[in-house]
């Protein structure tokens, strides 16, 4: 039953321009802001940097750093994009007034929501793959331009990065989906989601750092867990201003568990909202 | 055995009764559901579509009492429903929209394409199948709504104001479609357009303030008409006479 629902949602995704536009925007971000701009900075400012800093910078941009570099950019730059994708997917039926029609066609409302939620998770797999491929290609081009050797990590490491990228994207997307289901408005969901993940999470992380006994709080945050997973692959946290770039807390395994918990909790919240409020 | 059977059905919004102790049954054929604004027609349709659950009474659809989750799922698979307010995805084409609902309705994979094409042809939109929904008129959108409701050949088809927005020629075509659908299935049509009922329905049910006023054939409704009550057509006179007589007694 859920297979049909999943098929329906994947079919419908082709006609969701907002979702496709966000995925395209993220792909552009990867090429432009993760590779092109830093490489231009390296070319123009590298000689004035400390040698160790310049070496670190270029090693991330070359194929040898491709297995961790994009993962490092994901929590700060890609996470909010995935959150928006989740919110758009969840709120489409409220926006177009199609929920009643759709639910009237459903034999099982849980399967409907499950299909849509699963559709989001499945759809993020090609997004993660494209992200990784763009990273590998961009680093290859930089190696060529820079006349550096193109030494990629082995397949296992790259597969691990793909899995990590997908898990982080899925967790952020799922949170966006749940907020979308709660607010029923794409704009409200995006505003609430971004306020939470960008401001509230960082305020809580700051609190956890300064108040004794609250250190564990950091390990439960979406941003921290995403950064921790990226760090496990070898990345330093990549931030907008540097202010949010504190070293992530916890172990990689805990980070994976936290991210999976976010996904499961997001589904439960969405399901409860639909059952209690939107259907009888 | 009737496809739809309700005994003492009751439903209310925030303490205000909308359906009060309704006892009705519908079998194979086209059933017109008539009533003035606020009579409870849409609420009744929503209960039949399992969107709203009755406060009390029993509702049995296709032999399944709609109490358990299993019963609801079983019935929903065999229902078709066009709500009064019909939302749509503007960027979808007609074919994509109907196909999306075919998947949701668990139509077997190998039948999806043929069933979608057939549903679109039946509502006369074969030549617009690849047009985006945002480019269609209100009447065409209504027909798309009907196509999504019939794509899985439902045994019980619920159409809430299906002819709203259709032009006279489209309404005539729609009546032909209704008669066709009603040959083997139970079709319940809620409408204000009583000419459609007289022309296409095999049975008529008139409700007012959530109670049954009349159930019979269109000819019986027409026969009940009193020329003194006004109305331009025999069925209008029948409708008005029966309704006023009922109100006079309550």
């Amino acid at each position: 039953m859920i297979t049909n629902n999943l098929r329906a949602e994947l079919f419908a995704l082709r006609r969701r321009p907002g979702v496709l536009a966000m995925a395209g925007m993220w792909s552009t971000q990867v090429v432009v802001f993760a590779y092109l701009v830093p490489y231009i900075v390296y070319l123009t400012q590298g000689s004035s940097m400390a040698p160790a800093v310049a070496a670190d910078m270029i090693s991330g941009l070359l194929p040898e750093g491709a297995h961790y570099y994009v993962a490092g950019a994901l929590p700060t730059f890609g996470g909010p994009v995935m959150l928006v994708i989740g919110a758009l997917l969840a709120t489409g039926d409220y926006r177009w007034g199609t929920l009643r029609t759709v639910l009237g066609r459903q034999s099982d409302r849980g399967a409907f929501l499950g299909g849509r939620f699963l559709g989001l998770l499945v759809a993020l797999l090609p997004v993660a793959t494209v992200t990784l491929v763009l990273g590998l290609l961009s680093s290859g081009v930089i190696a060529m331009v820079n006349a550096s050797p193109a030494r990629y990590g082995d397949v296992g490491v790259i597969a691990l990065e793909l899995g990590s990228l997908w898990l982080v994207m899925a967790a952020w997307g799922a949170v966006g989906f749940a907020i979308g289901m709660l607010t029923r408005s794409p704009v409200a969901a995006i505003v609430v989601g971004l306020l939470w993940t960008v401001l509230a999470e960082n305020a809580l992380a700051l609190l956890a750092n300064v108040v004794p006994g609250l250190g564990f709080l950091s390990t439960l945050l979406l941003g921290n867990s995403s950064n921790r997973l990226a760090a496990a692959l070898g990345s330093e946290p990549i931030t907008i201003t540097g202010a949010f770039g504190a070293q992530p807390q916890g172990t990689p395994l805990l980070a994976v568990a936290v991210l999976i918990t976010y996904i499961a909790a997001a589904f439960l919240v969405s399901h409860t909202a639909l059952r209690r409020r939107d259907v009888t | 055995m009737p496809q739809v059977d309700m005994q003492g059905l009751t439903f209310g919004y925030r303490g205000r009764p909308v359906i009060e102790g309704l006892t009705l049954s519908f079998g194979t054929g086209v059933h017109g559901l008539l009533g003035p604004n606020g009579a409870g027609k849409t609420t009744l349709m929503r209960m039949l579509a399992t969107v709203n659950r009755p406060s009390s009474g029993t509702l049995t659809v296709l032999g399944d009492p709609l109490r358990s989750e299993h019963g609801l799922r079983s019935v929903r698979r065999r229902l078709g429903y066009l709500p009064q307010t019909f939302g749509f995805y503007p960027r979808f084409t007609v074919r994509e929209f109907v196909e999306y609902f075919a998947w949701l309705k668990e139509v077997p994979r190998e039948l999806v394409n043929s069933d979608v094409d057939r549903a679109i042809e039946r509502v006369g939109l074969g030549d617009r199948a690849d047009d985006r929904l945002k480019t269609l008129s209100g009447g065409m959108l209504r027909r798309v709504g009907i196509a999504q409701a019939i794509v899985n050949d439902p045994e019980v088809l619920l159409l809430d104001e299906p002819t709203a927005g259709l032009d006279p020629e489209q309404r005539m075509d729609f009546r032909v479609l209704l008669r066709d659908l009603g040959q083997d299935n139970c079709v319940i049509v809620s409408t204000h357009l009583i000419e459609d009922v007289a022309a296409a329905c095999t049975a008529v049910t008139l409700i007012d303030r959530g109670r049954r006023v009349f159930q019979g054939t269109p000819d019986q409704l027409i026969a009940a008409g009193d020329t003194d009550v006004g109305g331009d057509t025999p069925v209008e006179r029948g409708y008005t006479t029966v309704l006023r007589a009922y109100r006079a007694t309550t």
Side-chain angles (χ1 to χ4, degrees):
Chain A
M1 186 188 302
I2 201 161
T3 316
N4 276 51
N5 285 278
L6 174 61
R7 200 170 276 149
E9 293 311 322
L10 293 177
F11 174 80
L13 265 173
R14 296 186 307 181
R15 288 289 181 201
R16 295 202 189 273
V19 172
L20 297 176
M22 292 309 292
M25 195 176 103
W26 164 240
S27 301
T28 310
Q29 271 184 296
V30 170
V31 175
V32 175
F33 295 110
Y35 282 96
L36 186 60
V37 171
Y39 186 60
I40 291 171
V41 171
Y42 171 78
L43 284 180
T44 55
Q45 308 290 324
S47 56
S48 60
M49 292 176 185
V53 173
D56 267 359
M57 192 173 183
I58 192 65
S59 71
L61 297 173
L62 291 172
E64 64 195 64
H67 66 276
Y68 65 79
Y69 183 69
V70 180
L74 185 58
T76 304
F77 299 104
V81 176
M82 303 310 141
L83 188 140
V84 173
I85 287 177
L88 289 176
L89 261 184
T91 55
D93 282 315
Y94 298 107
R95 185 180 172 202
W96 300 116
T98 42
L99 191 66
R100 190 177 297 170
T101 316
V102 169
L103 291 181
R105 306 297 291 160
Q106 280 295 303
S107 59
D108 181 344
R109 281 81 191 274
F112 159 69
L113 189 74
R116 181 156 292 181
F117 191 79
L118 212 53
L120 167 69
L121 302 186
V122 171
L124 290 177
L125 194 57
V127 177
T129 307
V130 168
T131 301
L132 180 65
V133 169
L134 285 174
L136 296 174
L137 287 176
S138 302
S139 64
V141 170
I142 288 177
M144 202 166 63
V145 173
N146 205 50
S148 300
R151 281 194 298 266
Y152 289 101
D154 64 42
V155 175
V157 172
I158 289 174
L160 196 62
E161 183 184 17
L162 178 62
S164 304
L165 285 174
W166 175 81
L167 183 59
V168 172
M169 286 179 175
W172 285 78
V175 169
F177 189 94
I179 297 172
M181 289 299 295
L182 288 172
T183 60
R184 293 189 277 192
S185 151
V187 176
I190 291 165
V191 170
V192 170
L194 295 184
L195 280 177
W196 171 259
T197 53
V198 176
L199 293 180
E201 277 225 343
N202 286 290
L204 285 172
L206 191 67
L207 195 68
N209 281 340
V210 297
V211 178
L214 284 184
F216 72 96
L217 203 58
S218 292
T219 62
L220 304 179
L221 298 176
L222 185 59
N224 177 81
S225 299
S226 308
N227 275 317
R228 185 64 193 87
L229 208 56
L233 294 168
S235 172
E236 291 290 318
I238 296 171
T239 67
I240 300 171
T241 64
F244 303 152
Q247 282 301 320
Q249 306 296 308
T251 65
L253 203 60
L254 178 63
V256 169
V258 169
L259 292 173
I260 291 173
T261 304
Y262 267 99
I263 295 171
F267 179 72
L268 278 177
V269 168
S270 306
H271 189 262
T272 306
L274 183 80
R275 298 287 314 190
R276 291 182 66 91
R277 188 190 59 199
D278 297 324
V279 298
T280 56
Chain B
M1 190 167 99
Q3 278 94 328
V4 176
D5 183 67
M6 57 192 89
Q7 300 290 328
L9 211 62
T10 302
F11 183 83
Y13 287 112
R14 293 174 183 158
R16 185 177 62 84
V18 179
I19 299 290
E20 291 192 77
L22 205 54
T23 297
L24 286 172
S25 60
F26 300 106
T28 301
V30 183
H31 303 267
L33 185 61
L34 295 175
N37 286 334
K41 298 189 298 294
T42 291
T43 302
L44 179 59
M45 294 295 269
R46 294 189 67 190
M47 278 198 286
L48 295 176
T50 76
V51 176
N52 288 342
R53 199 167 287 186
S55 314
S56 65
T58 59
L59 176 56
T60 306
V61 180
L62 297 166
D64 272 311
L66 300 186
R67 286 194 213 100
S68 66
E69 191 62 28
H70 175 266
L72 286 170
R73 284 182 198 171
S74 164
V75 165
R76 282 172 188 151
R77 283 197 191 97
R78 299 187 284 165
L79 271 182
Y81 175 44
L82 172 68
Q84 186 178 31
T85 312
F86 164 59
F88 62 93
Y89 305 117
R91 285 182 176 271
F92 279 42
T93 65
V94 173
R95 192 189 306 280
E96 287 168 345
F97 190 71
V98 179
E99 184 175 341
Y100 175 66
F101 280 91
W103 287 118
L104 287 180
K105 206 62 188 173
E106 300 167 27
V107 172
R109 185 178 194 164
E110 62 277 11
L111 296 179
V112 166
N113 285 339
S114 58
D115 285 5
V116 167
D117 287 342
R118 194 160 56 92
I120 294 171
E121 286 295 338
R122 287 180 93 175
V123 298
L125 285 175
D127 58 334
R128 306 296 298 265
D130 295 316
D131 289 2
R132 298 249 178 120
L133 297 184
K134 65 182 177 183
T135 66
L136 302 184
S137 67
M140 286 176 181
L141 284 172
R142 212 69 199 147
R143 285 193 276 162
V144 174
I146 296 165
Q148 64 80 22
I150 64 175
V151 68
N152 63 317
D153 280 330
E155 292 165 65
V156 173
L157 178 61
L158 307 166
L159 303 171
D160 199 352
E161 300 288 355
T163 49
L166 299 189
D167 63 36
E169 187 185 9
Q170 288 168 348
R171 279 172 59 197
M172 287 196 324
D173 291 343
F174 178 70
R175 291 169 189 169
V176 174
L177 174 63
L178 271 187
R179 287 190 209 106
D180 180 33
L181 292 167
Q183 287 193 348
D184 302 314
N185 305 304
C186 173
V187 182
I188 303 173
V189 186
S190 165
T191 182
H192 278 109
L193 301 171
I194 53 180
E195 303 81 24
D196 289 339
V197 171
C201 295
T202 52
V204 186
T205 300
L206 173 56
I207 63 172
D208 185 36
R209 285 172 285 189
R211 294 174 187 271
R212 187 180 73 175
V213 175
F214 171 89
Q215 191 167 30
T217 65
D219 287 342
Q220 287 171 330
L221 183 63
I222 289 168
D226 181 345
T227 49
D228 293 340
V229 300
D232 295 326
T233 62
V235 71
E236 278 182 0
R237 283 193 283 277
Y239 171 88
T240 311
T241 304
V242 169
L243 190 60
R244 286 185 183 169
Y246 171 76
R247 285 178 174 170
T249 60
T250 55

